[in-house]
Amino acid sequence: SASIEAEQALDAKIVELDRANQKLKQYISSNSELEKFAYVASHDLREPLRTIIGFTQIINKRHREDLQEDARQYLDLILSASQHMYQLVQDLLQYSRVSNESMELQNLSPQQLLERLRVDMKEMLQSKGGSIQLGALPSQIRAHETGLYRVFLNLTTNAFKFSRKEVAPEVEIRGIEKNDHWHFSVRDNGIGIAPRHHEQIFLLFNRLHAKTDSEGSGLGLPICSKIIDRHHGNIWLESKEGQGSTFHFTIAKSIAVSYD
Ligand code: ADP
């Protein structure tokens, strides 16, 4: 009878597991529905937004002189709010693209990718001063090029955005080979992040310094985290308030050649 009891207990467990499985399936499907929704919505919102921005710019150009001072101010507000909204929609689209589009992997040189990044960030470098140093890097890795570029771009842009007022931003990027993955780091000498916020900043729309910068969307790090997820890696940081931050991430060596 002990074995009958054990069998009954096992049956009960199987039923329980089945139920949990069912719930998980529902959760996954509603999650991917939501992601598809975000993708379609952000994609389709761009068109009407472009129209709003375009016509506001035309009014601004052709009719600004005919307007009273308060109307000019309203026009400026409409323009900056709609441009900010466009940026948010773009970032949201980027975010949902990471899950909804296939990613081809290719062999690439991190050094070349980062030299391109340095050129693309020239404006930021000129306006803020400071530098982007490249440390030791692996000569070749297998990754999704646009995705990896986006990760470095977001981390480096943040390093410049959240720099200390009196200190020119210094960013150092390096990467080393480990057993089964590559390990990269992006270190800055900026304002730093208190440890209690370290997990929260990877969640959607979480911004700690919203007031100092109206440009951000709070999607930069969640986008990085998703891209790294698709490379079977991890992303985390070391930082204390006022002492700069180092963002680390890994990329698995053995990701399938191409994956959807
Ligand atoms: P955004 O930059 O658009 O605000 P992110 O997801 O890239 O959104 O970053 C979330 C928040 O994390 C930022 O608003 C900022 O408060 C904090 N943060 C990110 N990177 C850094 C950094 N290098 N130094 C200090 N704070 C940072």
Side-chain angles (χ1 to χ4, degrees):
S1 72
S3 76
I4 293 179
E5 264 174 36
E7 220 167 89
Q8 281 172 342
L10 194 64
D11 278 347
K13 281 282 170 222
I14 290 174
V15 171
E16 211 178 290
L17 205 63
D18 243 13
R19 244 182 242 141
N21 233 338
Q22 212 54 39
K23 267 198 183 153
L24 195 64
K25 269 191 194 148
Q26 280 168 2
Y27 174 74
I28 290 171
S29 108
S30 75
N31 200 31
S32 57
E33 287 286 307
L34 266 177
E35 287 194 341
K36 285 212 177 71
F37 171 76
Y39 182 66
V40 173
S42 50
H43 185 268
D44 291 2
L45 275 171
R46 290 194 307 176
E47 186 64 30
L49 254 176
R50 272 201 210 109
T51 310
I52 294 173
I53 294 171
F55 281 101
T56 315
Q57 278 167 335
I58 290 174
I59 295 176
N60 194 32
K61 210 167 162 190
R62 295 198 196 149
H63 305 288
R64 192 172 180 90
E65 297 311 314
D66 313 331
L67 297 173
Q68 311 254 330
E69 184 50 31
D70 56 350
R72 286 184 202 165
Q73 277 174 16
Y74 300 153
L75 200 62
D76 290 341
L77 286 174
I78 294 172
L79 206 53
S80 76
S82 50
Q83 276 163 344
H84 186 207
M85 186 168 172
Y86 191 78
Q87 191 55 53
L88 285 171
V89 166
Q90 278 287 72
D91 284 357
L92 200 57
L93 185 61
Q94 276 276 348
Y95 179 78
S96 41
R97 266 194 179 146
V98 180
S99 326
N100 284 287
E101 287 181 357
S102 66
M103 286 179 131
E104 291 280 332
L105 299 175
Q106 65 184 80
N107 294 330
L108 58 90
S109 146
Q111 179 89 26
Q112 275 174 15
L113 189 95
L114 290 166
E115 270 160 16
R116 181 152 62 84
L117 175 81
R118 232 179 356 196
V119 173
D120 294 347
M121 288 195 61
K122 230 181 189 146
E123 236 174 77
M124 181 90 103
L125 274 162
Q126 271 162 2
S127 76
K128 284 225 168 195
S131 68
I132 302 173
Q133 305 286 342
L134 304 183
L137 288 163
S139 56
Q140 199 186 59
I141 69 164
R142 197 161 177 76
H144 179 248
E145 185 164 6
T146 323
L148 186 65
Y149 181 83
R150 166 64 49 184
V151 171
F152 280 124
L153 178 70
N154 288 2
L155 295 179
T156 313
T157 311
N158 277 349
F160 273 78
K161 275 201 309 204
F162 304 107
S163 58
R164 280 179 283 167
K165 274 208 178 72
E166 65 285 6
V167 189
E170 304 282 347
V171 181
E172 194 192 50
I173 306 175
R174 48 173 66 239
I176 49 168
E177 179 168 12
K178 294 281 172 83
N179 259 348
D180 57 354
H181 62 266
W182 309 100
H183 179 158
F184 291 94
S185 63
V186 178
R187 182 164 62 83
D188 68 49
N189 58 347
I191 58 176
I193 304 169
R196 66 178 187 284
H197 296 307
H198 285 192
E199 282 181 20
Q200 155 202 347
I201 55 169
F202 290 101
L203 303 175
L204 281 178
F205 304 115
N206 261 289
R207 306 174 63 203
L208 309 175
H209 313 98
K211 286 193 194 80
T212 57
D213 172 60
S214 61
E215 299 302 309
S217 59
L219 281 167
L221 291 175
I223 289 173
C224 292
S225 163
K226 264 202 163 187
I227 294 169
I228 296 307
D229 234 33
R230 292 202 65 177
H231 286 86
H232 299 197
N234 291 310
I235 182 165
W236 72 98
L237 74 145
E238 281 173 282
S239 179
K240 282 184 188 157
E241 240 166 339
Q243 296 188 16
S245 314
T246 306
F247 282 81
H248 298 269
F249 67 86
T250 58
I251 288 191
K253 283 184 185 170
S254 61
I255 328 171
V257 176
S258 141
Y259 62 117
D260 296 311

